[in-house]
Amino acid sequence: MNANSMPSRKAPAHFEDQILEQGDLISKKLHLLSVQRFPPNAKKTLRSFSLSEVANYVGVSQSTLKKLHLEGKGPSPQTSSSGRRSYSAEQMLELRQYLDAHGRSDSRMYVPHRRVGEKLQVVAVVNFKGGSGKTTTAGHLAQHLALTGHRVLAIDLDPQASLSSLHGFQPELDQISSIYDAIRYDGERKPLSEIIQQTNFPGLDVVPANLDLQEYEYDTPLAMADKSSNEGKTFFTRISRSLAEVDDRYDVVVIDCPPQLGYLTLTALTAATSVLITIHPQMLDVMSMGQFLLMLGGILKPIRSAGAEVNLSWYRYLITRYEPTDVPQAQMVGFMSTMFHEFMLKHQMVKSTAISDAGITKQTLYEVERSSMNRGTYDRALESMDAVNAEIAGLIHQAWGR
Ligand SMILES: Nc1ncnc2c1ncn2[C@@H]1O[C@H](COP(=O)(O)OP(=O)(O)OP(=O)(O)O)[C@@H](O)[C@H]1O
Ligand SMILES: [Mg+2]
């Protein structure tokens, strides 16, 4: 027998003993794998961005960029041996500042930070259907907003910690705090500013998750039953209260919710100013989303009287992993559009191996090198992703009254 595998023909153990043993085996192996691939405390780096990407994200023409470079104005790009220019993400931010300082007379702002009177935008990405693309959406949205000059905080509210590991954080391995420490009920609570981690994207910080976060689902009903304190009864304010501490540091907060309708998701929804419901356009997924909406409405109604109000500037359904050539999927999108009209995002996130392949190495489309993939596949995926994210950024700016 291979020493690494489970004994298969022992006297049958109790189910709970077996799953404990198998769970332990899986986590040890995965731990080894991830330590080899990504040593603890290793910092992710970020590739540079091509002239066309910079033009797209900053919102200037490529010829303007070339002219600035020739005149020695603004940050100077790296030039490859074949003469291709590229900028780092930091340089893209410098470019924005340069353009604002030396801009034309139009009132356009290249640094899009919020101004006086514009509220912090908190976007919650939800659906209790597992695998509906919440983490992929939240990660790419947060990075896109950072690349387009916003100050972004991404909160991982899923005990599975997928968004954290996408950004190179493995709380269990790296011995760092998680969002649980900001919302827990006992004396160990920490300010959010002590938990926030910087990422490889300038302008994007992350609050990691870990398995402890699951405790919140058990702690909350106990805290609600505690007659000596009001903490539990107002559980729904715990994220918004934490966010208030760092409000002036960010423009947008993106929350990746767990695939369940528990206290974590409810707390995120009451902190949210907008909601994205991700949905894969297949019958079972749409049926399950229907159940999710009914349950959510049913829970929110009674707790509204306790002050748990969801006050949204907007909410939208986002079609994910879409294959437009698949007739039943296209019909399902049509069906949803006739029901939900303007509540559907106009752009869909198409299914692409570029997205899933990047995910295997814990990267997003904004991180992988285009040259490492089939270029046509990469370009189509990025076009779809950028269109979705630009539409969401437009809704955020609209909420600011721009
Ligand atoms: N547009 C896409 N094209 C191809 N693969 C995708 C796409 N979006 C997501 N995926 C893949 O589908 C899987 C599930 O996506 P994701 O983790 O974003 O879903 P989720 O809703 O966050 O899941 P969970 O409910 O477990 O948190 C991942 O392996 C991801 O790489
Ligand atoms: Mg997820």
Side-chain angles (χ1 to χ4, degrees):
M1 191 185 68
N2 183 331
N4 290 331
S5 60
M6 295 288 300
S8 54
R9 291 201 182 275
K10 262 195 333 198
H14 289 300
F15 173 62
E16 61 271 28
D17 292 330
Q18 278 178 327
I19 54 170
L20 277 173
E21 212 176 313
Q22 290 170 356
D24 189 50
L25 186 68
I26 292 177
S27 25
K28 283 192 180 128
K29 292 283 163 217
L30 287 179
H31 179 102
L32 260 178
L33 255 181
S34 65
V35 170
Q36 281 162 0
R37 256 205 221 147
F38 203 74
N41 303 317
K43 284 273 169 278
K44 270 187 141 191
T45 54
L46 188 57
R47 67 178 173 93
S48 59
F49 293 84
S50 70
L51 209 58
S52 68
E53 287 178 305
V54 176
N56 175 25
Y57 297 136
V58 177
V60 285
S61 66
Q62 291 192 41
S63 57
T64 305
L65 288 174
K66 284 181 187 157
K67 192 161 162 270
L68 285 174
H69 178 214
L70 287 176
E71 292 172 0
K73 293 175 176 166
S76 63
Q78 302 88 282
T79 311
S80 73
S81 52
S82 60
R84 283 184 193 279
R85 297 185 183 99
S86 63
Y87 292 81
S88 67
E90 283 84 4
Q91 286 182 317
M92 266 202 271
L93 295 182
E94 280 172 43
L95 201 55
R96 286 175 189 281
Q97 282 155 3
Y98 178 87
L99 289 165
D100 275 344
H102 303 86
R104 291 163 296 198
S105 54
D106 60 12
S107 58
R108 168 102 212 255
M109 281 199 356
Y110 289 93
V111 177
H113 296 175
R114 65 196 164 102
R115 299 165 230 175
V116 180
E118 296 177 344
K119 260 179 55 177
L120 179 71
Q121 295 298 300
V122 184
V123 186
V125 185
V126 298
N127 195 337
F128 74 177
K129 180 84 185 152
S132 64
K134 294 177 290 294
T135 303
T136 305
T137 300
H140 283 85
L141 173 63
Q143 294 180 0
H144 182 275
L145 288 168
L147 288 175
T148 48
H150 304 84
R151 297 167 302 165
V152 188
L153 181 66
I155 300 183
D156 189 351
L157 206 60
D158 184 351
Q160 298 176 89
S162 313
L163 188 73
S164 311
S165 65
L166 192 62
H167 288 91
F169 298 106
Q170 309 157 94
E172 266 84 18
L173 294 185
D174 299 343
Q175 305 281 311
I176 52 176
S177 295
S178 81
I179 179 73
Y180 179 63
D181 291 323
I183 58 175
R184 59 195 298 163
Y185 294 92
D186 60 15
E188 305 284 303
R189 196 159 79 224
K190 286 185 183 170
L192 195 61
S193 53
E194 286 179 20
I195 302 168
I196 288 171
Q197 301 282 339
Q198 288 184 342
T199 70
N200 51 337
F201 282 74
L204 172 60
D205 292 343
V206 162
V207 182
N210 64 5
L211 269 181
D212 291 348
L213 199 46
Q214 193 60 35
E215 299 293 323
Y216 187 75
E217 301 292 350
Y218 308 112
D219 297 344
T220 303
L222 292 178
M224 284 165 90
D226 180 355
K227 292 204 169 59
S228 66
S229 157
N230 241 345
E231 290 285 293
K233 287 165 204 82
T234 54
F235 74 89
F236 43 83
T237 59
R238 298 188 89 70
I239 293 181
S240 42
R241 262 161 48 191
S242 274
L243 283 175
E245 298 163 22
V246 295
D247 183 289
D248 56 346
R249 289 169 52 182
Y250 301 100
D251 303 306
V252 187
V253 177
V254 179
I255 308 181
D256 183 26
C257 291
Q260 65 196 44
L261 186 48
Y263 292 109
L264 287 168
T265 301
L266 287 175
T267 308
L269 285 170
T270 38
T273 61
S274 49
V275 169
L276 275 173
I277 303 173
T278 52
I279 173 74
H280 179 54
Q282 267 178 354
M283 185 57 92
L284 287 177
D285 298 68
V286 176
M287 279 168 62
S288 145
M289 188 189 70
Q291 290 303 316
F292 171 70
L293 297 179
L294 288 172
M295 281 171 64
L296 181 59
I299 295 172
L300 286 176
K301 260 186 195 300
I303 62 172
R304 172 184 282 265
S305 56
E309 213 167 321
V310 184
N311 278 317
L312 302 181
S313 309
W314 54 267
Y315 74 90
R316 291 289 185 277
Y317 297 95
L318 165 61
I319 303 288
T320 57
R321 279 191 287 124
Y322 182 37
E323 295 164 280
T325 53
D326 178 312
V327 175
Q329 280 195 31
Q331 283 172 342
M332 194 49 83
V333 171
F335 173 67
M336 287 188 64
S337 303
T338 50
M339 283 187 300
F340 300 142
H341 308 284
E342 73 276 16
F343 291 106
M344 302 275 288
L345 274 191
K346 289 186 193 67
H347 296 94
Q348 296 99 9
M349 192 185 292
V350 295
K351 180 176 180 178
S352 171
T353 51
I355 297 172
S356 41
D357 285 358
I360 292 170
T361 51
K362 304 236 157 70
Q363 286 185 301
T364 64
L365 287 181
Y366 298 118
E367 291 180 291
V368 283
E369 296 280 356
R370 177 172 179 258
S371 56
S372 69
M373 296 199 158
N374 174 302
R375 292 191 179 177
T377 308
Y378 178 82
D379 290 345
R380 280 191 296 279
L382 187 68
E383 192 184 333
S384 158
M385 189 63 82
D386 274 346
V388 166
N389 288 331
E391 189 178 347
I392 299 169
L395 290 168
I396 289 170
H397 286 207
Q398 230 173 322
W400 282 329
R402 298 192 191 169

